[in-house]
């Protein structure tokens, strides 16, 4: 079927459907390509918890600031973490107050810095899903080989599958899922088979072009209307059924699973990855943060946005007290955060 026919069918009459796009990059592409306006009103797209910055707890930010204020320590972080609120302040605010925070473009920068400045300890803020976790594992391997003792890893690493399991178990209204394309390159399309079978929900792995997403939506609509719940890999040029074996081996060699606190959601069992016993000497206190719910009380409804319970513009703070320039919640901070995406495309 060509794209014109797909568009015509998607604009026609349908039963009410609620399709979750898990990945923030999919959300951004949906807005960029005006996909919502092309769909029947009965087909509702909702965003999921696919932004790692958005689910990083406030207690993690607090711990990172603590390290940045420790004498002879430097915190290295990606730029999108700088404005995420902690329980009292963000890394950006802490830096303004004198904390030693440096933005990194790759965690491997720590190796060169640590070798050049042995009097300093470099703490890498490691945040992300399976897509980025292998890169941190590689740096741990290189740290071990180099003999450097002045690098530590403060991790808030999250596994996508337990979060999807949590959503499937607690929300019967979601009809189908656009599986996250980036994470799927690591986990493989087969990773969703058990969830599809257990909860009778169809999954479609999609690329990030507008056409890719429209085809995935069409596939899911047809599956739901035909009472099917299969996993379809619509991104086979990048995503293999079995995933990336090398990357998966790196993850399993350096990390072990445990419970983890997802900001706005709570603790999800088995959803965090922590340095295993052999490499725990490099840990900067990550495991102690599991289950810690420290967070400033506000009217922020990021938790409901992440779970697809509400759209960002249903939060009373959206576009008023909460904007990208003065974010009250992590979903407004990150480039992949649902609130930030909605603001960029709807508040011009």
């Amino acid at each position: 079927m060509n794209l014109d026919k797909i568009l015509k069918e998607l604009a026609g009459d349908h039963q009410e459907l609620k399709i979750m796009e898990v990945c923030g990059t999919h959300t951004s592409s949906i807005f960029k390509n005006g996909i919502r306006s092309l769909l029947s009103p009965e087909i509702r797209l909702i965003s999921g918890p696919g932004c790692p910055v958005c689910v990083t707890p406030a207690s993690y930010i607090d711990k990172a600031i603590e390290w940045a204020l420790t004498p002879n320590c430097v915190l290295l972080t990606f730029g999108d973490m700088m404005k995420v609120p902690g329980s009292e302040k963000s890394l950006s605010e802490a830096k303004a107050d004198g904390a030693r925070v440096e933005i990194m473009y790759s965690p491997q920068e720590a190796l060169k810095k640590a070798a050049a400045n042995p009097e300093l300890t470099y703490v890498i803020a490691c945040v992300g899903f399976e897509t980025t976790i292998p890169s941190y594992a590689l740096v741990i391997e290189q740290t071990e080989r180099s003999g450097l003792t002045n690098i530590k890893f403060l991790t808030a690493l999250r596994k996508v599958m337990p979060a999807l399991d949590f959503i499937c178990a607690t929300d019967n209204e979601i009809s189908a899922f656009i599986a996250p394309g980036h994470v799927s390159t690591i986990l493989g399309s087969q990773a969703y088979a058990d969830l599809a079978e257990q909860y009778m929900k169809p999954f479609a792995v999609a690329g990030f072009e507008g056409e890719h997403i429209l085809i995935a939506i069409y596939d899911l609509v047809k599956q739901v209307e035909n009472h099917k719940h299969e996993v379809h890999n619509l991104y086979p040029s990048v995503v293999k059924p079995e995933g990336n074996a090398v990357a998966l081996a790196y993850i399993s060699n350096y990390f072990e699973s445990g419970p983890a606190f997802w900001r706005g959601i709570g603790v999800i069992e088995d959803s965090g990855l922590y340095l295993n016993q052999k490499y725990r000497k490099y840990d900067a206190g990550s495991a102690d943060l599991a289950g810690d719910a420290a967070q400033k009380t506000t009217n922020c409804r990021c938790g409901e946005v992440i779970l697809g319970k509400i759209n960002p513009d249903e939060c009373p703070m959206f576009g008023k007290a909460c904007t990208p320039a003065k974010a009250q919640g992590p979903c407004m901070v990150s480039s992949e955060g649902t609130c930030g995406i909605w603001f960029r495309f709807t508040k011009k």
Side-chain angles (χ1 to χ4, degrees), residues 26-341:
H26 277 148
T27 303
S28 182
S29 185
I30 285 168
F31 274 94
K32 196 177 300 179
N33 289 282
I35 288 177
R36 289 171 181 271
S37 65
L38 302 175
L39 305 179
S40 159
E42 286 79 25
I43 301 173
R44 183 182 170 199
L45 299 181
I46 58 172
S47 303
C51 166
V53 171
C54 298
V55 299
T56 299
S59 57
Y60 178 87
I61 304 299
D62 296 344
K63 188 70 176 180
I65 292 172
E66 183 182 321
W67 274 111
L69 290 170
T70 301
N72 300 320
C73 285
V74 180
L75 184 89
L76 298 178
T77 180
F78 287 116
D80 57 358
M81 289 293 293
M82 289 296 288
K83 292 185 179 179
V84 177
S87 60
E88 296 296 333
K89 60 178 68 173
S90 66
L91 285 169
S92 181
E93 292 168 328
K95 184 175 182 178
D97 292 341
R100 201 160 183 177
V101 181
E102 294 182 9
I103 293 177
M104 64 179 178
Y105 297 94
S106 164
Q108 291 198 325
E109 291 174 25
L111 297 163
K112 189 174 180 180
K113 289 175 182 285
N117 304 286
E119 76 281 9
L120 298 176
T121 295
Y122 288 87
V123 180
I124 305 174
C126 307
V127 173
F129 296 131
E130 286 89 343
T131 317
T132 54
I133 293 171
S135 65
Y136 294 124
L138 182 61
V139 176
I140 297 168
E141 179 185 70
Q142 293 170 328
T143 300
E144 181 82 350
R145 284 183 179 175
S146 68
L148 290 168
T149 58
N150 57 334
I151 295 178
K152 288 188 175 294
F153 298 81
L154 182 62
T155 66
L157 305 176
R158 300 291 182 263
K159 296 162 63 180
V160 166
M161 299 309 294
L164 289 177
D165 192 351
F166 175 85
I167 291 171
C168 287
T170 55
D171 191 338
N172 290 325
E173 293 183 1
I174 298 176
S175 313
F177 293 86
I178 301 175
H182 292 145
V183 165
S184 300
T185 63
I186 305 298
L187 296 180
S189 57
Q190 289 178 344
Y192 307 97
D194 288 345
L195 290 182
E197 183 63 29
Q198 180 180 354
Y199 296 104
M200 301 179 70
K201 310 276 189 187
F203 285 77
V205 180
F208 298 97
E209 298 297 327
E211 183 176 340
H212 294 164
I213 296 171
L214 281 168
I215 292 171
I217 294 169
Y218 175 78
D219 176 89
L220 293 169
V221 168
K222 288 301 173 187
Q223 283 208 61
V224 172
E225 292 180 346
N226 290 305
H227 307 289
K228 292 184 176 180
H229 49 274
E230 299 171 352
V231 179
H232 290 169
N233 182 7
L234 306 178
Y235 200 27
S237 60
V238 175
V239 177
K240 307 303 178 190
E242 70 279 8
N244 184 322
V246 174
L248 290 171
Y250 261 100
I251 292 174
S252 63
N253 283 343
Y254 290 91
F255 299 101
E256 61 186 25
S257 299
F261 182 83
W262 292 58
R263 189 170 187 150
I265 299 175
V267 176
I268 301 178
E269 293 299 324
D270 196 42
S271 66
L273 284 172
Y274 305 93
L275 286 166
N276 63 31
Q277 185 64 41
K278 184 177 179 181
Y279 300 103
R280 202 159 296 162
K281 59 188 176 185
Y282 298 114
D283 183 67
S286 317
D288 296 339
L289 300 176
D292 187 341
Q295 193 166 341
K296 186 190 295 183
T297 300
T298 71
N299 292 321
C300 172
R301 297 180 68 182
C302 275
E304 292 165 270
V305 172
I306 289 169
L307 292 172
K309 301 289 186 186
I310 64 168
N311 287 327
D313 58 359
E314 294 176 75
C315 173
M317 302 178 77
F318 178 78
K320 300 169 187 168
C322 185
T323 66
K326 193 177 181 181
Q328 302 298 311
C331 294
M332 185 61 87
V333 174
S334 171
S335 61
E336 291 190 353
T338 305
C339 294
I341 293 169

